[in-house]
Amino acid sequence: APRSLKTKLEAHEWTQVLFSHFTGEFLPKSYVTKFHQEEGSGRISHLTVNGQKTIQAVNYIYCGPIKNLKTLLPEGALNPKAFQKLAKNQYWTAVGLDLLHNHSVTNSNSVHILSGTTQDELGPCVGVFHPSAEVNGENLQYSQWLTFLEDEEAEDTEVVGAALKKIKRQIKRAYPDALENLKFERILVVPSYAGNGDLKLSGNLTLPGVENFWVGSAQMNPQRNLLGALLQAELVSSALGCHPMEQQTQVTESQLPEAEG
């Protein structure tokens, strides 16, 4: 049976809570293009942002896709075997579709897993309908849908378009009137959202041989996706001494509340 974990705050509200106590500098349009290491130092000395700006720090925490480390890390930071493993790992692009319906489609709060009537290269999609609500005199309902494509396939925009069309076909087959006169539609494509990061780390989650480079990516955690990101962040914070854990709680499938329906 499908299971889900309902949090007291929606995920999009978490960032608002974090920012209310944040005192650092937030650089949303800055992308790391290279980490640099002084030869023989065993430490990252500085990084390059957007190909030109240099930033220096004492410690560095990397939370991005593991496969990108192939090009971001300085030469010699990874041995040839580790480099080959990163190149062979399979990663998945998340393709999301958010819809605002102009009427109440369903009262079900179950996790929907919809698949086509015939087998094809595109897999099923998963989605949920949020409770309907009255907005400016209209009874509206919001739904969210997600499917995955291999990173290599997702580089082709036609494949991404086909995946979105299939999601809509699946929704229409289950709820024939759901897509009529939509109020709002949003597409989200996140490359390398999921995958298994086959990279050996030291006991305190640093890259072996680079003592000030921590890896906080969800792809390195036994759990995956958002839960894996949260748990990995907690482990890295503990290793840095910023957020010591007196008691570590593991969330298992048996602890997740069963969805209705």
Side-chain angles (χ1 to χ4, degrees), residues 43-114:
R43 296 175 63 85
I44 296 295
S45 57
H46 61 283
L47 57 82
T48 303
V49 173
N50 295 342
Q52 53 185 3
K53 184 178 179 180
T54 297
I55 295 179
Q56 292 181 312
V58 176
N59 296 315
Y60 300 83
I61 304 173
Y62 179 78
C63 299
I66 294 299
K67 76 170 187 177
N68 291 354
L69 290 176
K70 294 184 300 179
T71 56
L72 294 179
L73 286 173
E75 186 178 352
L78 290 176
N79 61 51
K81 186 176 181 180
F83 189 91
Q84 290 175 1
K85 283 186 176 181
L86 287 183
K88 292 180 180 179
N89 286 345
Q90 187 176 47
Y91 298 93
W92 300 88
T93 292
V95 179
L97 181 64
D98 294 352
L99 302 174
L100 183 60
H101 309 272
N102 71 341
H103 63 284
S104 178
V105 179
T106 177
N107 293 325
S108 173
N109 61 358
S110 298
V111 176
H112 290 61
I113 300 178
L114 305 181

Side-chain angles (χ1 to χ4, degrees), residues 17 57 74 78 137 164 173 180 213 241 253 261:
V17 175
L78 290 176
L164 291 166
R173 186 163 58 89
E180 293 186 4
F213 188 84
E253 184 176 317

